[in-house]
């Protein structure tokens, strides 16, 4: 194996070893084998292009083209086609799968499931890094610079995975791959000077091979270089372990969003937007909670995680409050009066969290009166939230796999009680009606317009709820860009589309402008009841809703989100109880207790809602009506793609055949002689322009191992060339059998060659290097012409300031 071939192998190996650092990001490593196979093909294409040889730009172009075709074939049919033909797939569908992968990366936590989109990102990323490494290390012969793309790949993987127990293994593999690449390039460079530092061949002395006389061991430069590499890797692995951690003290502190444990700790600010929207758009929709309850109104039982009660103009968040030990009996909910409390029903709920639900805040029905759960938990009295305590350094109690029992109250306030509620406590009103100074005036103006004519806070709250859910023309869409600040509320009121976060935050903000204490609760809708009585709560049941405060009732849930299947409380309905909140085009709920309509395949349904199964019921008939199989255009297009892929290796063969026919068709002796020289070059007899035609013919006959008849044909062509070069003007130089002699000589050359050289002469002819030479010559001519024109133009311009 030549030095450049070894360098190609080590470049691919270095890329593959560095790619191992991406394995902790996904649950399955099946993509790694696919990436390795495609990387091997890409490297083989580069090696073949360099052997032809082709220009560097053509080599990279060939590798890139083959890689794209392989990716297109590998991921064909992975996404629902939105067009017909290969162009629609390569441009639209392939791009959609790539965009879906980007979306999945932001949606799933690490380790993420190996979706088709994520798999495409991983494999294409490895191929891109492999192409850059091959370009720098092999094509451009600068292996040291190839460490930059390798470092970028490892840095991205290490930054996303956050380290871990396997991080040192990934670093060791990446470092070893890079060092092997450098060592291979060093040996190749030394070999070009005639001396290779390595083991001596048997039977040769030290003076011939450049090695020590002691039995074939490498000489000092190689041993010293290897020791430097091993020492560098060892220091990189050992030194970080020996250094003191910087997690505490001046540079440390509690991580944002984790709070502190122990007595006197506080619950820290949490922004649930990203996780909530990701849950609503989750593809797997896995079950995170299961529970049994004796609640007679199970559809009213929302599982509340925490309350966001502070709006600073940039985001809604939970204000920092003191934590206490979890009491055996929780204090009464704030604002709950005796009349409503005596009419409440006590219910018990037994909840089991899945092993994949890693959350510090305990989902519970509101208001809970007692909780039985193992582990270390803390209680926040104002928001009535249980939060996991700190178990150790960077380790906290979570809900993961927990089984717990919650006793709570099923409150049944009447609309008259809410309507006649007295003014809230001044402290409550002051804290929960604060709005930021940068709140756009349109928020308060819209709130006043919607509630015009009402006389109490309850009527205003119902008007706001109906404005979002019924009369305002709002549309539910989980793909809307998240936003919680003041401008986001104004933008939502203008665009009139969003998901539960937007509806809850906007209603809470507008309520505050009207003097109604308001906050936002985050948690889950009641879930879906199974035949055995167990209720499953999945990721798409994640929800946010506003809570408004009424003296004598306390914090009261409202439901402004126009998503069908959500339960609207009886106390917040309008006078006609049958009128359910609905949008102009309501979308089915993914977490509704009642069965939702079947998913639609309508051509008018957006792809994002198709993924969620939220489309109209009439689409299946439309889809069936258009399901007539592939169109003629699609069949012809795919046939053209297959023909192009299969015909790609045949392009050099077709080019040589066309060039041969054109040369021999002219009948010119020199053109036929050039074709004969290229035929010999294709089987390994390189041209030598310094030889005379007779000497060149003898060389072709000897090196090509030609039989007597083909050898005689070669000498006849050489004789014609001598006559063309040295005969007097007007003499006859060509003869009738010139083309037949060239073809006979070529057939003899191919017959005398071995099987592999013959196959290469046909499929990858060495004479194809003339293409790159012609391209370079054409480029040089164009550059020279452009330079000459610029020089002439500059000379024609008048010289200012002369005289």
């Amino acid at each position: 194996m030549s030095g450049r071939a070894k360098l190609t192998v080590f470049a691919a190996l270095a890329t593959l070893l560095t790619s191992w650092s991406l394995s902790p990001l996904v649950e399955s490593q099946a993509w790694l084998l696919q990436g390795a196979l495609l990387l091997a093909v890409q490297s083989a294409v580069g090696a073949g292009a360099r052997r032809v040889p082709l220009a560097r730009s053509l080599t990279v172009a060939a590798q890139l083209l083959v890689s794209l075709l392989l990716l297109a074939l590998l991921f064909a049919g992975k996404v629902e086609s939105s067009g017909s033909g290969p162009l629609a797939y390569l441009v639209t569908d392939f791009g959609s799968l790539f965009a879906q992968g980007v979306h999945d990366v932001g949606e799933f936590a690490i380790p993420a499931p190996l979706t088709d989109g994520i798999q495409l990102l991983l494999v294409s990323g490895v191929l891109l890094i492999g192409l850059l490494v091959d370009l720098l290390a092999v094509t451009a012969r600068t292996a040291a610079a190839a460490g930059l793309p390798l470092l970028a790949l490892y840095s991205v993987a290490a930054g996303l995975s956050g380290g871990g127990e396997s991080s040192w293994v990934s670093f060791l593999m990446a470092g070893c791959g890079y060092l092997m690449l450098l060592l291979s390039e060093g040996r190749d460079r030394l070999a070009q000077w005639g001396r290779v530092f390595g083991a001596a061949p048997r039977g040769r002395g030290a003076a011939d091979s450049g090695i020590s006389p002691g039995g074939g061991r490498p000489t000092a430069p190689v041993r010293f270089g290897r020791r430097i590499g091993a020492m560098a890797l060892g220091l990189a692995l050992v030194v970080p372990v020996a250094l003191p951690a910087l997690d505490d003290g001046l540079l440390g502190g509690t991580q944002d969003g984790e709070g502190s444990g122990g007595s006197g700790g506080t619950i820290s600010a949490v922004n649930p937007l990203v996780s909530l929207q990701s849950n609503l758009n989750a593809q797997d929709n896995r079950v995170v909670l299961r529970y049994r309850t004796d609640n007679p109104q199970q559809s009213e039982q929302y599982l509340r995680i925490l309350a966001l009660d502070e709006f600073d103009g940039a985001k809604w968040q939970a204000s920092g409050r003191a934590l206490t030990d979890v009491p055996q009996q929780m204090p009464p909910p704030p604002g709950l009066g005796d009349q409503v409390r005596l009419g409440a029903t006590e219910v018990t709920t037994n909840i089991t969290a899945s092993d994949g639900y890693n959350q510090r805040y305990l989902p519970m029905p509101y208001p809970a009166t007692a909780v039985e759960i193992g582990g270390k938990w803390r209680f926040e009295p104002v928001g009535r939230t249980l939060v996991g305590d700190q178990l150790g350094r960077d380790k906290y109690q979570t809900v993961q796999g927990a089984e717990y029992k919650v006793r709570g109250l099923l409150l049944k306030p009447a609309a008259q009680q809410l309507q006649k509620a007295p003014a809230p406590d001044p402290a409550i009103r002051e804290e929960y009606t604060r709005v930021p100074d940068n709140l756009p005036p349109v928020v308060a103006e819209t709130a006043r317009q919607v509630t015009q004519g009402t006389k109490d806070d309850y009527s205003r709250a119902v008007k706001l709820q109906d404005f979002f859910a019924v009369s305002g023309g709002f549309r539910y869409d989980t793909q809307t860009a998240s936003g919680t600040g003041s401008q986001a509320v104004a933008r939502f009121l203008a665009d009139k589309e969003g998901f539960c976060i937007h509806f809850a935050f906007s209603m809470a903000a507008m309520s505050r402008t009207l003097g109604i204490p308001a906050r936002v609760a985050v948690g889950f809708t009641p879930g879906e009841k199974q035949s055995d009585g167990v209720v499953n709560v999945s990721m798409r049941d994640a929800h946010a809703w506003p809570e408004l405060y009424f003296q004598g009732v306390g914090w009261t849930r409202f439901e402004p989100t126009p998503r069908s299947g959500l339960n609207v409380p009886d106390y917040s309905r309008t006078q006609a109880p049958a009128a359910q909140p609905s949008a102009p085009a309501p979308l089915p709920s993914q977490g509704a207790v009642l069965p939702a309509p079947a998913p639609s395949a309508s051509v008018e349904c957006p792809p994002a809602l198709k993924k969620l199964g939220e489309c109209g019921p009439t689409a299946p008939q439309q889809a069936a009506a258009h399901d007539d199989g592939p169109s003629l255009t699609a069949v012809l297009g795919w046939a053209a793609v297959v023909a192009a892929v299969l015909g790609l290796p045949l392009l050099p063969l077709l080019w040589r055949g066309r060039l041969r026919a054109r040369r021999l068709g002219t009948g010119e002796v020199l053109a036929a002689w050039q074709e004969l020289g290229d035929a010999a070059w294709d089987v390994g007899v390189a041209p030598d322009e310094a030889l005379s035609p007779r000497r060149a013919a003898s060389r072709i006959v000897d090196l090509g191992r030609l039989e007597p008849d083909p050898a005689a044909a070669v000498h006849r062509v050489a004789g014609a060339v001598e006559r063309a070069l040295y005969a007097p003007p007007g003499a006859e130089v060509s003869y009738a059998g010139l083309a037949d002699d060239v073809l006979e000589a070529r057939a003899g050359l191919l017959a005398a060659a071995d099987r592999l050289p013959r196959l290469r002469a046909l499929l990858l002819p060495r004479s194809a290097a003339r293409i790159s030479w012609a391209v370079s010559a054409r480029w040089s001519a164009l550059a020279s012409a452009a330079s000459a024109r610029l020089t002439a133009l500059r000379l024609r311009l008048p010289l200012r300031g002369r005289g």
Side-chain angles (χ1 to χ4, degrees), residues 376-397:
K376 296 182 64 177
W377 296 88
R378 305 286 290 169
F379 178 60
E380 194 273 290
V382 177
R384 302 181 70 82
T385 301
L386 260 66
V387 58
D389 202 356
Q390 188 169 7
L391 301 177
R393 182 179 178 182
D394 298 332
K395 187 176 181 181
Y396 296 85
Q397 179 70 55

Side-chain angles (χ1 to χ4, degrees), residues 106 113 159 181 196 201 241 261 273 283 371 483 507 533 540 606 629 665 696 699 718 728-729 731 792:
L181 178 62
V196 179
V241 178
L273 261 184
Q283 290 182 328
V371 180
M507 181 173 173
R540 291 185 197 163
R699 181 170 178 268

Side-chain angles (χ1 to χ4, degrees), residues 422-504:
D425 183 89
I428 297 290
R429 180 186 291 273
E430 180 182 0
E431 180 177 1
Y432 293 99
T433 57
R434 294 173 185 167
V435 291
D437 296 335
N438 60 347
L439 187 68
V442 66
V443 179
E445 293 174 2
T446 304
R448 287 194 298 269
Q449 292 175 3
V450 171
T451 60
Q452 188 175 7
T454 56
K455 299 180 180 179
D456 54 82
D457 289 346
Y458 165 75
S459 300
R460 297 186 185 97
V462 173
K463 283 282 190 180
L464 290 177
Q465 175 182 271
D466 293 346
F467 169 68
F468 288 110
V470 180
S471 60
F474 288 86
R475 192 174 74 88
Y476 180 79
D477 184 5
T478 59
Q479 298 300 317
T480 303
S482 302
T484 63
S486 301
Q487 297 301 325
V489 176
R491 185 168 57 251
F492 170 66
L493 293 176
D495 297 341
K496 294 191 175 183
E497 61 179 18
F499 59 104
C500 56
I501 282 289
H502 300 90
F503 290 95

Side-chain angles (χ1 to χ4, degrees), residues 690-702:
L691 300 178
S692 65
R694 187 170 301 180
R695 291 288 304 275
S698 299
R699 181 170 178 268
I700 292 175
V701 170
D702 294 339

Side-chain angles (χ1 to χ4, degrees), residues 550-756:
F550 293 91
Q551 193 67 32
V553 181
W555 291 104
T556 308
R557 177 177 68 89
F558 284 81
E559 191 53 81
T561 303
R563 194 180 78 180
S564 63
L566 292 179
N567 182 269
V568 179
D570 291 335
Y571 53 77
S572 67
R573 298 180 188 273
T574 54
Q575 295 298 324
Q580 293 286 340
S582 60
L587 302 176
S589 167
Q590 294 298 321
V593 178
L594 298 177
S600 168
S602 172
V603 294
E604 298 179 356
C605 180
L609 297 184
K610 281 184 180 180
K611 181 183 67 177
L612 294 175
E614 297 186 348
C615 294
T618 60
Q621 291 80 1
Q622 298 176 2
H626 292 83
D627 190 14
D628 297 331
S631 63
L632 179 61
T633 305
V635 173
L636 294 178
W638 279 113
V641 170
V642 173
V645 173
L646 296 179
L648 184 63
L650 302 179
L651 289 180
L653 175 64
L654 299 176
W655 171 79
R656 282 291 291 120
R658 182 175 179 273
L659 181 62
R660 185 181 308 111
R662 187 175 62 185
R663 286 172 173 174
L664 299 181
T666 60
E668 296 180 1
V669 174
L670 296 182
W673 176 249
Q674 189 177 23
E675 174 58 32
L676 179 59
D678 285 352
W681 187 11
D682 291 340
V683 296
V685 183
D688 189 349
E689 302 293 342
L691 300 178
S692 65
R694 187 170 301 180
R695 291 288 304 275
S698 299
R699 181 170 178 268
I700 292 175
V701 170
D702 294 339
L703 297 181
R705 297 173 295 177
L706 291 180
E707 298 292 334
D709 290 342
V714 172
H715 286 295
R716 284 196 296 271
V717 176
V721 173
E722 289 182 339
R723 290 193 300 273
L725 294 176
Y726 307 118
E732 184 67 26
V733 296
S734 184
Y735 59 96
L738 178 63
D740 295 335
D741 283 345
V742 173
L743 295 178
E744 183 179 2
R746 177 177 178 272
L749 290 170
L750 292 176
D754 296 333
R755 179 176 301 177
L756 290 180

Side-chain angles (χ1 to χ4, degrees), residues 47-397:
R50 285 185 287 266
R51 287 292 299 271
V52 168
L54 294 179
R56 292 180 178 181
S57 57
L58 295 179
T59 300
V60 177
Q63 290 178 285
L64 184 60
L65 177 60
V66 172
S67 300
L68 290 176
L69 290 175
L70 290 176
L71 285 174
L73 293 176
L74 180 62
F75 291 94
K78 299 293 186 180
V79 66
E80 184 178 358
S81 179
S82 58
S84 61
L87 184 62
Y89 171 72
L90 294 175
V91 177
T92 306
D93 301 337
F94 197 67
S96 299
L97 185 60
F98 192 89
Q100 183 61 48
V102 175
H103 177 268
D104 291 343
V105 169
E107 174 178 337
F108 294 107
I110 296 174
L114 188 61
T115 63
D116 293 331
I118 293 179
Q119 186 174 0
L120 172 62
L121 291 182
L122 292 173
V123 175
S124 58
V126 170
L127 289 180
L128 177 60
I129 296 298
L131 181 61
L132 293 176
V133 172
D134 187 85
L135 170 63
L136 294 173
V138 188
T139 304
R141 307 303 293 268
T142 55
L148 294 177
L150 294 176
L151 178 62
L153 178 62
Y154 175 79
S155 300
V156 170
L160 292 176
S161 62
E165 298 179 357
S166 61
S167 59
W168 69 272
V169 178
S170 301
F171 177 79
L172 181 62
M173 295 175 63
C176 288
Y178 181 54
L179 287 180
M180 287 190 297
L181 178 62
L182 292 178
L183 182 60
S184 176
E185 190 214 24
R187 293 174 65 88
D188 182 51
R189 288 184 180 275
L190 289 175
Q192 295 179 10
W193 287 89
R195 297 183 61 185
V196 179
F197 291 105
R202 295 181 180 179
R204 293 186 182 182
D208 296 331
S209 58
I211 55 177
S212 64
R217 298 181 60 188
T219 54
V222 174
R223 295 200 305 269
F224 189 64
R226 291 175 180 173
R227 290 171 183 173
I228 290 177
M231 184 178 297
L233 274 179
L235 290 175
L237 292 172
V238 174
V239 170
V241 178
L243 291 176
L246 299 178
D247 293 330
D248 300 319
L250 179 62
L251 301 179
T254 305
Q255 296 181 355
D256 184 24
E258 297 297 348
S260 58
S263 178
T266 62
I267 181 172
S268 58
V270 175
N271 190 340
L273 261 184
V274 176
S275 60
L276 180 55
Q277 188 173 19
S278 299
N279 291 342
L280 291 173
N281 289 324
Q283 290 182 328
D284 56 356
N285 195 29
R286 60 181 179 270
V287 175
V288 294
L289 297 170
R290 290 183 172 88
Y291 68 88
R292 287 182 181 270
T293 182
D294 58 2
N295 191 336
Q297 299 178 357
Q298 184 258 329
S299 60
E300 296 280 353
Q301 183 155 291
Y302 281 47
L303 299 180
R304 187 171 169 277
I305 296 176
L306 77 162
L308 310 178
D309 54 7
E310 185 176 294
F311 185 31
D312 59 4
K315 60 182 177 298
W316 283 83
Q317 61 186 6
S319 56
R321 300 184 186 276
L323 300 177
T324 64
D325 294 332
V326 180
Q328 292 185 354
Q329 189 71 25
M330 294 184 181
L336 182 60
D338 294 338
Q339 185 177 3
V340 177
R341 182 175 56 83
L342 293 176
T345 303
E346 187 174 19
V347 296
T348 302
T349 304
N350 294 285
I351 306 175
T352 301
S354 69
D355 293 333
Y357 183 53
N358 191 6
Q359 168 66 256
R360 281 190 62 200
Y361 301 91
L362 192 69
M364 299 183 301
Y366 183 86
T369 57
V371 180
E372 299 178 12
I373 186 173
K376 296 182 64 177
W377 296 88
R378 305 286 290 169
F379 178 60
E380 194 273 290
V382 177
R384 302 181 70 82
T385 301
L386 260 66
V387 58
D389 202 356
Q390 188 169 7
L391 301 177
R393 182 179 178 182
D394 298 332
K395 187 176 181 181
Y396 296 85
Q397 179 70 55

